[in-house]
């Protein structure tokens, strides 16, 4: 048996409503510009030919209710509330009609974004990794099994310090859940533990140390976050 040179990091895992077991997180796929109004507020357009993605590592996972120190390297941290789809079965080159069989459950999440770093990357046509993938940038609530939640026209909302910032319906998404799973499955062997953050509605904005974020999707566990002082 091989010995590790140093202790491997612990497995990122999320609580599940009504269950003692936790959902281990593998990969996180994030969908860009999946609400038309958000694309417009960011000065972009919807690509009707196909969705596009960026990724976050499992090190980005932060459980709902935590305090996130204001991240290094940014002066413009933004919130983005999203529906999260948890994959529980292998899916490779599936059709949209088959895709929902791979869904284990759903949750609410925050895609925290270093917007100034993302904007610099966009301007130079470079990847968004510095803006999107950092410790604590995927704030995730407890997951709900698919048997207990059916995505339809539920409201998705986020408030900061009690003031509503984002509000839409999840059926406002440009690309549906089956379409996203099917499309991703033509590029990846989707596997149990993978998460898909399905995009954010309009109303994104900056947060500062001391702010309290509270949001979610009707029928799912809420997601909450407190912004702490910078490291």
């Amino acid at each position: 048996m091989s010995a590790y040179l140093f202790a491997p990091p612990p497995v990122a895992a999320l609580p599940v409503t009504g269950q003692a077991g936790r959902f281990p997180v593998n990969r996180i796929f994030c969908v860009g510009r999946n609400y038309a109004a958000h694309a417009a507020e960011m000065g972009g357009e919807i690509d009707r030919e196909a969705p596009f993605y960026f990724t976050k590592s499992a090190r980005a996972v932060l459980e709902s209710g935590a305090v996130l120190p204001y991240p290094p390297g940014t002066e413009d941290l933004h919130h983005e509330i999203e529906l999260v789809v948890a994959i529980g079965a292998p899916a490779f080159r599936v059709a949209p009609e088959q895709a929902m069989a791979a869904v284990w459950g759903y949750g609410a999440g925050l895609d925290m974004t270093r917007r100034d770093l993302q904007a610099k990357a966009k301007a130079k046509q470079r990847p968004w990794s510095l803006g999107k993938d950092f410790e604590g940038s995927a704030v995730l609530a407890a997951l709900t099994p698919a048997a207990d939640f059916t995505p339809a026209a539920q409201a998705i909302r986020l408030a900061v310090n009690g003031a509503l910032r984002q509000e839409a319906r999840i059926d406002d998404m440009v690309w549906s859940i089956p379409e996203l799973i099917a499309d991703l499955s033509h590029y990846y062997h989707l596997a149990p533990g993978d998460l898909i953050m399905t995009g954010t509605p309009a109303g994104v904005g900056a947060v500062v140390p001391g702010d309290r974020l509270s949001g979610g999707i009707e029928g799912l566990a809420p997601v909450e976050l407190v912004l702490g002082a910078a490291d």
Side-chain angles (χ1 to χ4, degrees):
M1 185 175 69
S2 298
Y4 295 112
L5 296 179
F6 50 86
V11 174
L14 298 172
V16 175
T17 57
Q19 297 185 21
R22 294 172 67 87
F23 184 93
V25 177
N26 184 23
R27 296 171 294 186
I28 305 173
F29 300 97
C30 304
V31 184
R33 298 177 188 169
N34 203 23
Y35 288 79
H38 172 61
E41 76 177 347
M42 298 303 295
E45 297 181 355
I46 298 297
D47 183 350
R48 300 287 177 176
E49 294 184 5
F52 79 93
Y53 312 96
F54 55 92
T55 60
K56 293 178 184 276
S57 68
R59 289 291 301 274
V61 171
L62 183 66
E63 197 170 322
S64 173
V67 176
L68 173 65
Y70 195 86
T74 184
E75 296 180 353
D76 193 21
L77 181 69
H78 279 212
H79 58 75
E80 298 188 7
I81 183 72
E82 312 206 1
L83 170 68
V84 179
V85 178
I87 300 297
F92 181 59
R93 294 177 178 166
V94 300
E97 296 77 19
Q98 305 165 322
M100 296 304 285
V103 176
W104 185 91
Y106 303 93
L110 293 170
D111 166 17
M112 302 304 292
T113 302
R114 295 190 281 207
R115 190 71 74 199
D116 45 359
L117 301 187
Q118 183 194 27
K120 289 178 182 178
K122 284 183 178 181
K124 296 183 178 181
Q125 297 184 321
R126 292 177 176 174
W128 296 1
S129 297
L130 282 179
K132 289 289 192 178
D133 187 6
F134 53 92
E135 294 95 336
S137 65
V139 185
L140 302 171
L143 298 176
T144 296
D148 299 325
F149 181 82
T150 300
Q154 292 93 337
I156 177 171
R157 301 185 180 95
L158 179 76
V160 178
N161 301 325
L164 187 64
R165 289 269 189 100
Q166 294 183 264
E167 184 175 29
R169 301 187 330 189
I170 59 175
D171 63 350
D172 290 335
M173 291 192 298
V174 175
W175 301 99
S176 69
I177 294 168
E179 289 171 328
L180 293 170
I181 294 172
D183 187 66
L184 275 168
S185 79
H186 282 75
Y187 300 97
Y188 299 92
H189 291 76
L190 295 180
D194 289 340
L195 300 178
I196 304 174
M197 300 186 74
T198 58
T200 195
V204 301
V207 286
V208 297
D211 281 349
R212 294 180 174 270
L213 287 67
S214 179
I217 295 149
E218 290 177 334
L220 297 176
V223 60
E224 298 180 341
L225 179 71
V226 175
L227 260 294
D231 285 336

